[in-house]
Amino acid sequence: MNQRLRLILLWLLPIGMVVLISWQILGNSGTSSINQANTSIASRNSAVSRMSYGRFMDYINSGRVTAVDIYDGGTNAVIEAIDPELDNRVQRIRVDLPGLAPELINKLKEEGISFDIHQAKTTPPALGLIGNLIFPILLIVGLVFLARRSNSMPGGPGQAMQFGKTKARFAMEADTGVKFDDVAGVNEAKQDLEEVVTFLKQPERFTSVGAKIPRGVLLVGPPGTGKTLLAKAIAGEAGVPFFSLSGSEFVEMFVGVGASRVRDLFKRAKENSPCLIFIDEIDAVGRQRGAGIGGGNDEREQTLNQLLTEMDGFEGNSGIIIIAATNRPDVLDSALMRPGRFDRQVSVEAPDIKGRLSILEVHSRNKKLDNVLSLEDVARRTPGFTGADLANLMNEAAILTARRRKDCIGTAEIDDAVDRIIAGMEGQPLTDGRSKRLIAYHEVGHAIIGTLVKDHDPVQKVTLIPRGQAKGLTWFSPDEDQTLVSKSQLKARIMGALGGRAAEDVIFGHGEVTTGAGGDIQQVASMARQMVTKFGMSNLGPISLDNSSQEVFIGRDLMTRNDISDAIAKQIDNQVRLIVKECYKETLQIINKHKIAMDKLVDILVEKETMDGEEFRSVLSEFCSIPAS
Ligand code: ADP
Ligand code: MG
Ligand code: ZN
């Protein structure tokens, strides 16, 4: 049974119990008053006995009765009577009466016996009926609800009963409303895909000269680069319906469900052609068959086979084009890439600075920007950001602007939003004290090395305001998108990362260094190792010694070839250590030489909490000359 169903059942049970209990209370309320009265009397006097109506009359006649309480419309009574043989001790006795007879009342009045008639709190009949019916009604409603749920839920029992006729879980949009204009910064991909629009709009142009229209296009690229958006834009430009579903939705619990979904999807698509089918995360179904941990997955393989069959089955001119997206083309089954299937690959990469600028322009279309805000600067500050990151950035900045009750997005909001996306939420600044000074020295250490080592990116700002995990941060602004990084740049980065620890070391002593440098040191290790194993930048020479890139991965061979001998591994370790040691030595030298400048910078930083790069450099230049970078 499906998980969600079971949950509902579990919920229904306690509800049922509560209803059952209240139903009983309601149902009994009509007769309960005498029992309640009895129990209260019983607790006062344990001797509650019964007597017949006749004996009760005798008691009245002999004057032993002192009080009578009549209940339930005169069918029950509890009397108090004295027993002359037992020192006139008061007894409470229950009597069954034949009904509320006027003679009895008259008699009691005559004898001067105090009596009381208690009206029974009977529930009105209608209410009683409802009380009795609530539970069964709830049960029925619950069952109906369950039945309906399970029918609409694929994989539920309803599904199991009607296997083949799965309700396909794809979405169809008659008009996506997205145009190529909405996708920016991926111009090559756009050019490749513009042709697809023509395939959809004017297939005759191609078929008339005997060209076969391609059936599938594979979009390859990291998450957030706009693959889904591009697919929607194609449909939007061509004005055709957009069928979309995610690869993971094909793979189901039951073998064969995914395959029948594929059949359904293509059937619906054929009915609506020309149209576009978008399969997101195709690697979820399209992995190499019969490989990986645990052998094959029957369901996935069947689904993939069905997909391949369907793709072979329709003709190029049937007006359906399939676009699939993945960020792992390496794991896809080669059968998918064969001509006639996804034979076109379009790569969608993270945008460069120009691309970022145009994406920023797209996403600031409906936003109010400050006149002095320069989107070029924003693009420069955000290397590595994908389209989705940039969209998020503009949105965060707009939220900040609203929160600050400004009427247009300014540089400050953008900067804060960038910081937030890269480094996390801003925390409360530390109060002045030893640890604040230590963090200040640590950050100034990074910043000094970053400024004085020639090949390092310039400092953008230094701050003691915590963000995310970091207690303080030093930001560097990369000059441009760097695709090639030189050995001396890598060394400069290692030294910059070591600057924080070196400053703690020099100012506070060996014994006082803190865990705050943990992250820096991890970075240093990975940079140094890559220099040795990946980039051939050590004494071992230009040999690739990298065996880590072939991750163990379902869908690939389980074992990675280990072509590195123990002896080489040892040499690698030695080289890594050598690089780090040399860098640290140089770093310590620089820090030692600029202790006085550091004291001054730390004083300013502790007071102001944030220093921008300009200010940092101008203070530092009072003490030494700064190399132009
Ligand atoms: P992917 O499918 O590659 O993971 P999406 O297409 O889902 O990425 O992108 C998510 C969002 O990010 C889009 O809805 C859009 O707002 C924004 N976005 C991503 N790439 C771009 C781009 N190149 N141009 C404009 N906006 C983009
Ligand atoms: Mg997507
Ligand atoms: Zn640090």
Side-chain angles (χ1 to χ4, degrees):
M1 191 186 284
N2 190 291
Q3 189 83 25
R4 242 189 287 174
L5 264 177
R6 225 172 351 213
L7 258 175
I8 297 166
L9 263 188
L10 282 180
W11 269 105
L12 218 80
L13 248 144
I15 293 173
M17 303 271 259
V18 170
V19 171
L20 190 64
I21 291 164
S22 57
W23 168 58
Q24 283 196 334
I25 291 171
L26 273 171
N28 283 348
S29 63
T31 54
S32 63
S33 52
I34 178 71
N35 300 339
Q36 279 167 0
N38 263 349
T39 41
S40 64
I41 289 169
S43 58
R44 264 186 289 144
N45 186 340
S46 52
V48 175
S49 46
R50 273 177 174 276
M51 71 166 50
S52 67
Y53 187 55
R55 200 155 158 68
F56 173 47
M57 285 298 146
D58 290 347
Y59 263 55
I60 292 176
N61 291 334
S62 58
R64 290 175 63 175
V65 177
T66 55
V68 178
D69 284 291
I70 299 171
Y71 295 97
D72 298 335
T75 53
N76 277 304
V78 175
I79 65 164
E80 283 184 1
I82 47 169
D83 191 347
E85 283 155 32
L86 288 169
D87 276 344
N88 287 348
R89 214 182 78 179
V90 178
Q91 287 176 302
R92 282 160 213 282
I93 305 166
R94 190 169 160 180
V95 185
D96 290 329
L97 303 182
L100 200 55
E103 307 86 71
L104 178 64
I105 306 297
N106 287 339
K107 178 118 187 154
L108 291 174
K109 277 183 188 157
E110 267 167 37
E111 300 285 333
I113 299 170
S114 75
F115 68 94
D116 203 348
I117 301 174
H118 300 269
Q119 211 53 54
K121 279 188 249 134
T122 36
T123 19
L127 218 80
L129 192 71
I130 291 176
N132 288 336
L133 283 179
I134 277 185
F135 184 61
I137 286 177
L138 226 100
L139 207 73
I140 290 165
V141 168
L143 282 174
V144 169
F145 179 68
L146 273 185
R148 289 187 44 171
R149 282 298 283 231
S150 58
N151 270 337
S152 65
M153 260 168 44
Q159 184 86 65
M161 282 172 243
Q162 41 161 324
F163 248 130
K165 287 173 70 185
T166 54
K167 291 235 164 60
R169 303 184 64 207
F170 47 82
M172 186 190 128
E173 284 177 57
D175 178 16
T176 60
V178 181
K179 289 278 154 68
F180 271 140
D181 272 356
D182 300 320
V183 195
V186 282
N187 289 331
E188 290 107 56
K190 245 161 62 174
Q191 273 162 23
D192 285 350
L193 294 171
E194 257 155 22
E195 202 180 22
V196 178
V197 176
T198 327
F199 292 151
L200 285 166
K201 262 172 132 173
Q202 304 163 304
E204 328 76 53
R205 249 172 69 181
F206 298 88
T207 48
S208 65
V209 293
K212 266 207 177 123
I213 287 172
R215 294 171 199 175
V217 180
L218 187 63
L219 298 179
V220 178
T225 45
K227 298 182 293 296
T228 310
L229 198 65
L230 270 169
K232 283 191 176 175
I234 296 169
E237 289 281 344
V240 300
F242 180 77
F243 288 86
S244 71
L245 89 174
S246 168
S248 56
E249 282 169 303
F250 276 137
V251 184
E252 271 293 340
M253 185 160 52
F254 300 112
V255 175
V257 173
S260 89
R261 245 173 230 166
V262 172
R263 264 195 307 276
D264 270 7
L265 171 65
F266 278 83
K267 202 173 131 231
R268 282 284 302 281
K270 276 174 201 159
E271 288 161 11
N272 287 282
S273 88
C275 67
L276 188 147
I277 298 178
F278 178 63
I279 304 174
D280 212 351
E281 301 169 54
I282 187 144
D283 45 295
V285 263
R287 286 206 174 141
Q288 281 182 1
R289 285 168 289 186
I293 301 166
N297 171 331
D298 273 346
E299 159 66 355
R300 212 184 54 216
E301 288 188 8
Q302 281 209 15
T303 309
L304 177 55
N305 288 338
Q306 186 65 41
L307 184 64
L308 298 177
T309 315
E310 292 287 348
M311 285 190 77
D312 289 343
F314 71 82
E315 288 303 314
N317 55 11
S318 65
I320 304 174
I321 290 203
I322 307 172
I323 296 192
T326 180
N327 52 354
R328 299 294 316 252
D330 52 320
V331 303
L332 289 183
D333 198 294
S334 47
L336 269 175
M337 258 86 101
R338 223 197 52 189
R341 291 165 183 166
F342 293 103
D343 47 1
R344 293 196 169 209
Q345 276 200 32
V346 174
S347 94
V348 189
E349 294 299 327
D352 59 4
I353 183 163
K354 269 199 201 119
R356 290 199 299 275
L357 178 58
S358 48
I359 294 174
L360 284 168
E361 275 160 1
V362 167
H363 286 281
S364 43
R365 264 188 215 153
N366 56 354
K367 298 189 174 68
K368 276 193 218 141
L369 302 187
D370 197 338
N371 289 333
V372 298
L373 176 67
S374 142
L375 286 180
E376 284 98 71
D377 285 350
V378 183
R380 198 168 302 123
R381 263 208 74 185
T382 48
F385 273 46
T386 62
D389 292 333
L390 292 168
N392 182 25
L393 166 64
M394 289 312 291
N395 192 47
E396 285 280 329
I399 289 173
L400 277 176
T401 308
R403 195 177 295 156
R404 292 174 187 173
R405 302 196 183 284
K406 293 190 177 178
D407 39 48
C408 56
I409 301 174
T411 318
E413 284 75 41
I414 294 273
D415 279 349
D416 284 350
V418 174
D419 290 0
R420 189 159 166 184
I421 288 168
I422 297 177
M425 291 283 276
E426 192 172 286
Q428 281 296 317
L430 288 173
T431 45
D432 290 5
R434 189 183 144 82
S435 64
K436 187 166 184 176
R437 285 194 83 76
L438 187 134
I439 294 163
Y441 273 105
H442 179 110
E443 296 308 328
V444 168
H446 284 307
I448 278 202
I449 301 296
T451 311
L452 295 181
V453 175
K454 193 175 152 288
D455 289 302
H456 204 287
D457 295 328
V459 174
Q460 192 214 343
K461 73 176 170 199
V462 191
T463 176
L464 293 185
I465 298 171
R467 250 182 211 286
Q469 301 289 315
K471 296 269 182 292
L473 285 162
T474 305
W475 297 82
F476 298 98
S477 42
D479 269 350
E480 71 228 62
D481 289 283
Q482 286 177 330
T483 38
L484 292 175
V485 184
S486 69
K487 181 177 175 183
S488 49
Q489 279 172 322
L490 279 173
K491 269 186 74 181
R493 283 184 195 173
I494 292 179
M495 287 175 67
L498 287 168
R501 164 53 61 86
E504 291 178 29
D505 204 346
V506 168
I507 307 289
F508 294 86
H510 274 323
E512 301 296 306
V513 295
T514 66
T515 53
D520 299 337
I521 286 174
Q522 229 168 11
Q523 256 185 308
V524 167
S526 96
M527 283 191 283
R529 185 163 289 275
Q530 286 190 27
M531 280 175 74
V532 178
T533 59
K534 231 180 174 171
F535 308 126
M537 290 176 179
S538 74
N539 296 342
L540 297 181
I543 308 165
S544 167
L545 301 165
D546 185 22
N547 65 348
S548 63
S549 65
Q550 300 158 347
E551 314 151 50
V552 177
F553 186 71
I554 311 172
R556 274 270 179 233
D557 305 325
L558 180 55
M559 305 301 286
T560 53
R561 219 161 21 105
N562 196 352
D563 45 11
I564 289 179
S565 70
D566 284 353
I568 294 268
K570 209 164 169 187
Q571 285 187 43
I572 293 174
D573 287 345
N574 283 335
Q575 289 296 320
V576 171
R577 214 171 309 149
L578 195 71
I579 291 176
V580 176
K581 211 170 141 192
E582 265 176 23
C583 288
Y584 195 53
K585 209 172 103 194
E586 273 183 64
T587 310
L588 280 175
Q589 275 170 3
I590 299 175
I591 298 279
N592 265 314
K593 224 170 104 184
H594 296 92
K595 272 202 249 181
I596 300 170
M598 279 181 75
D599 291 340
K600 174 89 184 278
L601 285 160
V602 164
D603 285 342
I604 300 174
L605 187 59
V606 166
E607 198 201 305
K608 295 179 65 173
E609 277 172 353
T610 300
M611 256 171 123
D612 64 29
E614 287 301 312
E615 188 182 4
F616 185 90
R617 279 183 286 276
S618 88
V619 175
L620 186 57
S621 64
E622 291 166 21
F623 297 86
C624 60
S625 64
I626 293 173
S629 57

